[in-house]
């Protein structure tokens, strides 16, 4: 495996900066950036650490942050004791679906807050009411959006 070119390294850092603005550690964003363009698409932790010039421990931490979302998955090859990381085939959509599935949960939290403030002035309730309205909208609209996405991909939408 060769080291990333300067342009590849710049792309990896651009992806990292994007995800850092979303609150993800830079190393996690760099791993995502590298896994988007590396060859082969499945990389061992040693390969990723070498390509990104990072420690195995920081890479391990990044992998633990990235795998629960479904974006990055760990795979094994028959007869090989090593684990490899890769971007899941449908990882981006699974990550977004999971993220937006939380709309119901946060809508419930905001409704609780509105009940707590039921006797408060409308001005005091306004910020929370705006958030509640947004999450109600997302909760009602996102399932249809994801269903259309699956249909454009030629996949049956989940029931």
């Amino acid at each position: 495996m060769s080291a990333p070119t300067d342009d590849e390294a710049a792309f990896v850092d651009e992806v990292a900066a994007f995800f850092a603005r979303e609150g993800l550690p830079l190393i996690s964003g760099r791993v995502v950036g590298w896994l988007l363009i590396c060859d082969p698409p499945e990389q061992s932790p040693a390969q990723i650490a070498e390509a990104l010039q990072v420690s195995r421990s920081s890479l391990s931490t990044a992998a633990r942050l990235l795998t629960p979302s479904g974006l990055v998955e760990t795979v094994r090859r028959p007869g090989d004791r090593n684990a490899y990381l890769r971007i899941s085939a449908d990882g981006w959509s699974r990550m977004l679906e999971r993220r937006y599935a939380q709309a119901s949960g946060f809508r419930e939290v905001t409704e609780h807050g509105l009940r707590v403030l039921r006797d408060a002035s409308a001005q005091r309730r306004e910020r929370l009411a705006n958030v509640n309205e947004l999450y109600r909208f997302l909760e009602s609209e996102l399932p249809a959006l994801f269903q259309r996405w699956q249909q454009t991909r030629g996949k049956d939408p989940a029931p």
Side-chain angles (χ1 to χ4, degrees), residues 140-156:
S140 69
E141 295 295 321
L142 288 172
L145 179 65
F146 280 108
Q147 183 176 21
R148 286 195 313 272
W149 168 248
Q150 293 297 332
Q151 288 170 343
T152 65
R153 308 265 306 158
K155 296 180 179 180
D156 290 329

Side-chain angles (χ1 to χ4, degrees), residues 5-24:
T5 66
D6 288 345
D7 287 340
E8 290 170 342
F11 171 78
V12 166
D13 288 341
E14 186 177 355
V15 171
F18 174 85
F19 280 103
R21 289 189 297 272
E22 295 293 314
L24 201 63

Side-chain angles (χ1 to χ4, degrees), residues 123-137:
Q123 183 179 11
R124 185 170 175 206
R125 293 171 46 98
E126 181 179 16
R127 286 170 291 164
L128 193 52
N130 287 341
V131 174
N132 179 265
E133 184 179 345
L134 171 63
Y135 275 83
R136 279 187 173 284
F137 176 81

Side-chain angles (χ1 to χ4, degrees), residues 11 15 19 29-38 41 71 87 92:
F11 171 78
V15 171
F19 280 103
R30 292 185 74 216
V31 170
V32 171
W34 179 245
L35 290 176
L36 282 171
I37 63 170
C38 63
L71 176 59
I87 298 289
W92 291 97

Side-chain angles (χ1 to χ4, degrees), residues 38-52:
C38 63
D39 185 37
E42 298 171 349
Q43 300 272 300
S44 71
Q47 290 171 309
I48 297 169
E50 180 183 335
L52 299 180

Side-chain angles (χ1 to χ4, degrees), residues 85-101:
L85 296 174
R86 70 177 178 199
I87 298 289
S88 303
D90 62 347
W92 291 97
S93 58
R94 281 194 296 162
M95 178 184 66
L96 289 173
E97 280 181 290
R98 184 178 176 146
R99 188 173 188 180
Y100 291 122

